[in-house]
Structures are given as structure tokens and as C-alpha cells.
Amino acid sequence: METPMYFWGTGRRKNALARVRIRPGDGTIKINEREVEEYFPRLVWQTQVVQSLRAVNLEGKVDVFVRATGGGLTGQAGAVKLGIARALLKLNPELRPLLKKEGLLTRDPRMVERKKFGQKGARGMRQYSKR
């Protein structure tokens, strides 16, 4: 039996990492061996996952398999979105202008600011008492 040809893409956001494999197929999307609706219960996350496929009109034409780790579900959804976009570029480099225009090839650089010593959090300080 011939092994199917996969195209890989890696997506990251916050502390989440998504390793994405795509191949031409019937539109199956599996994240950690589970359906999208099951893994990402919120509609916002589900929409984010298929955003890259919708931008290039490949929704329902490629199978997507994802291994997502780290962070929370919001970060993982963002990582999957970037991973799918990068894998689509490997599948067809001519999709770059479409993906670039939608801003799907840019990694979100925002990270959690570290907690400072002597403070409650990154910005939260103890309440100041004048008297």
C-alpha cells in the first residue's frame, strides 16, 4: 500500500504548539485524534481553525491532522491556524499572496509578561497607603 503524501506546518502561539499535517482528501479535520467540534467546543476556536482553509477555498478538499500541545485552548486554536497556513504554503506556494493578505502567516508575538518581585503580578502592585 502506498503511503499518502503529507505536507507539514508548525504553528505556535503563547505557550501552545501545533504540528499540522495536511494532504488532499475529503475535508477531515482531526485534532489530537478528535473532531474539531469535540476538541474546540467554542465556535470562535472552530472558526479560527478553518480560517486558513476558507481563505484559499480549500475547505472540504484537504484532510488536516493536528497534534496540539501546551498552553490553553485559545493559544492552541491560534497555533493550529498558523500551522495550517504554513502547511498550505508547502502544498502550493502560489497561495502565499492570499494567505499573506489575510494575515495568516504572521506569528502572534504577544506573550505573558513576567511577574515582578515585590509585586502581585506583572503590573499589579500592593496598595499604597499615604497614612
Side-chain angles (χ1 to χ4, degrees), residues 31-110:
I31 300 165
N32 293 350
E33 314 276 310
R34 290 154 64 186
E35 296 294 327
V36 181
E37 295 79 19
E38 188 186 339
Y39 193 80
F40 291 124
R42 290 191 185 163
L43 192 61
V44 178
W45 296 328
Q46 293 170 21
T47 308
Q48 211 173 2
V49 166
V50 295
Q51 192 176 351
S52 300
L53 296 170
R54 283 195 181 136
V56 293
N57 293 326
L58 284 177
E59 194 177 9
K61 296 175 186 161
V62 291
D63 293 339
V64 179
F65 302 97
V66 181
R67 174 71 63 215
T69 57
L73 290 175
T74 300
Q76 285 185 3
V80 169
K81 177 177 79 169
L82 178 61
I84 291 173
R86 286 179 172 175
L88 287 170
L89 269 188
K90 298 243 176 80
L91 176 72
N92 184 359
E94 291 160 24
L95 299 174
R96 187 174 186 83
L98 289 169
L99 293 166
K100 190 84 174 164
K101 187 172 149 260
E102 296 288 323
L104 297 168
L105 296 175
T106 308
R107 188 218 192 268
D108 192 339
R110 296 175 295 172

